[in-house]
Amino acid sequence: MVKFCSLFSGSSGNCLLFGTEKTKILIDAGLSRKAIFNALNRIDQRPEEIKGILLTHEHADHVKGVGILSRTLDIPVYATWGTWQGCMSSVGAVSDKNRVCIEANKTFEIDDLTILPYSIPHDANDPVGFCMMADNKKVVVATDLGKMTKSLLKVFEKSDLLFLESNHDVDMLMIGSYPPYLKQRILGDKGHLCNEVAAKTAAYMVKTGVTRVVLGHLSEKNNFKELAYITTANEMKKEGIVPGIDVTVEVADRYTVGCVYDL
Ligand SMILES: [Zn+2]
Ligand SMILES: [Zn+2]
């Protein structure tokens, strides 16, 4: 059986849990050690059982607690060379043995987990998403995406759970208080995925066999949970898909530990 849980998701910090009975890992650690340990305790997960941390990219909302977690638990951190370069100063010392360099589009293993880091369009050095397989189940983490591409859709196919970015509502962003350069950054090809594109992606993926979609990485200022959910649910209904029957759709919370999925 495979476990997946969103501990935190959003521009204020990201941290997800994935694993089997034997091997548990975190994907990103963009909060303090205390916040992450508390979240793990809430789902009866001992921090000492975490075997490693995968990093998607070097932005602070993904790496804030990585150095201290690696030092406290003495666990390896897996990141691309570009990500390591980008977060060198912010994560502090990580021992050589715990500093693992991974390559985009090259599969690797951690005990019984098989992990494919895949390139994503985002404004970081060498950012990746993760396609994680174990016990015949496939879970894909897909956040911080400036646009949707055919190769991304291919990675998402037939996943048992797709954790998909639904970052912002374009109208809320446009009329909101962000400065113009930031609006352009978010809307750009290396920014973040809007609700509409997430909705179309999610509806399309259900047709390829995806049965669970968790929407995540919501913007605090330019989105809210109900809007992200209804945008995806409406798009699915247009395609004849009934959320709750044909597919499970949930929205990850920014600060509260989400549902623990046993797949
Ligand atoms: Zn980012
Ligand atoms: Zn992010």
Side-chain angles (χ1 to χ4, degrees):
M1 196 155 58
V2 159
K3 221 180 241 317
F4 177 84
C5 179
S6 167
L7 304 177
F8 301 95
S9 183
S11 37
S12 44
N14 296 277
C15 188
L16 311 171
L17 173 93
F18 172 76
T20 57
E21 206 59 59
K22 189 175 155 214
T23 316
K24 308 274 190 322
I25 56 170
L26 297 178
I27 301 94
D28 290 327
L31 294 105
S32 69
R33 173 181 56 182
K34 190 177 171 206
I36 292 171
F37 278 15
N38 284 343
L40 289 170
N41 283 332
R42 240 170 281 146
I43 56 167
D44 294 324
Q45 183 64 60
R46 290 193 311 120
E48 297 73 29
E49 280 179 64
I50 303 296
K51 298 260 177 81
I53 307 170
L54 313 181
L55 295 187
T56 56
H57 64 297
E58 67 271 24
H59 291 160
D61 57 324
H62 297 262
V63 304
K64 194 179 168 202
V66 167
I68 184 81
L69 280 184
S70 173
R71 291 189 288 276
T72 308
L73 300 170
D74 191 20
I75 52 171
V77 178
Y78 301 80
T80 63
W81 189 82
T83 298
W84 277 120
Q85 296 304 306
C87 68
M88 210 68 99
S89 57
S90 53
V91 302
V94 172
S95 66
D96 282 350
K97 76 175 168 65
N98 284 334
R99 193 183 285 271
V100 183
C101 212
I102 57 171
E103 261 181 68
N105 309 315
K106 225 176 180 177
T107 300
F108 64 97
E109 279 163 17
I110 304 175
D111 296 334
D112 54 342
L113 315 181
T114 304
I115 295 151
L116 171 71
Y118 62 93
S119 289
I120 53 170
H122 192 56
D123 56 353
N125 286 344
D126 186 9
V128 291
F130 292 104
C131 172
M132 306 175 294
M133 288 152 287
D135 214 8
N136 278 322
K137 301 286 184 215
K138 172 175 166 179
V139 172
V140 177
V141 172
T143 63
D144 303 81
L145 309 170
K147 61 179 176 183
M148 195 41 62
T149 65
K150 279 195 178 131
S151 59
L152 289 174
L153 295 174
K154 194 88 198 139
V155 173
F156 303 166
E157 265 178 19
K158 296 190 174 63
S159 41
D160 296 281
L161 189 150
L162 174 62
F163 189 83
L164 180 65
E165 171 166 56
S166 191
N167 180 260
H168 58 275
D169 174 78
V170 174
D171 292 336
M172 282 181 77
L173 176 70
M174 291 312 288
I175 59 169
S177 62
Y178 279 12
Y181 82 88
L182 191 51
K183 291 181 181 176
Q184 280 317 312
R185 197 213 130 210
I186 293 167
L187 292 169
D189 276 359
K190 292 191 165 184
H192 290 280
L193 212 62
C194 68
N195 287 346
E196 287 74 14
V197 178
K200 284 197 165 62
T201 304
Y204 175 77
M205 293 324 298
V206 175
K207 292 181 184 168
T208 76
V210 171
T211 50
R212 288 178 198 82
V213 176
V214 182
L215 302 172
H217 209 303
L218 270 66
S219 163
E220 186 163 32
K221 296 259 158 57
N222 307 309
N223 208 357
F224 53 97
K225 285 180 82 174
E226 293 77 8
L227 183 59
Y229 178 85
I230 206 75
T231 308
T232 285
N234 285 344
E235 187 64 34
M236 286 180 171
K237 284 178 201 152
K238 265 200 255 170
E239 299 288 327
I241 299 159
V242 185
I245 293 179
D246 300 318
V247 58
T248 308
V249 180
E250 264 156 33
V251 185
D253 209 276
R254 307 177 64 75
Y255 304 111
T256 317
V257 179
C259 174
V260 180
Y261 294 92
D262 287 312
L263 307 172

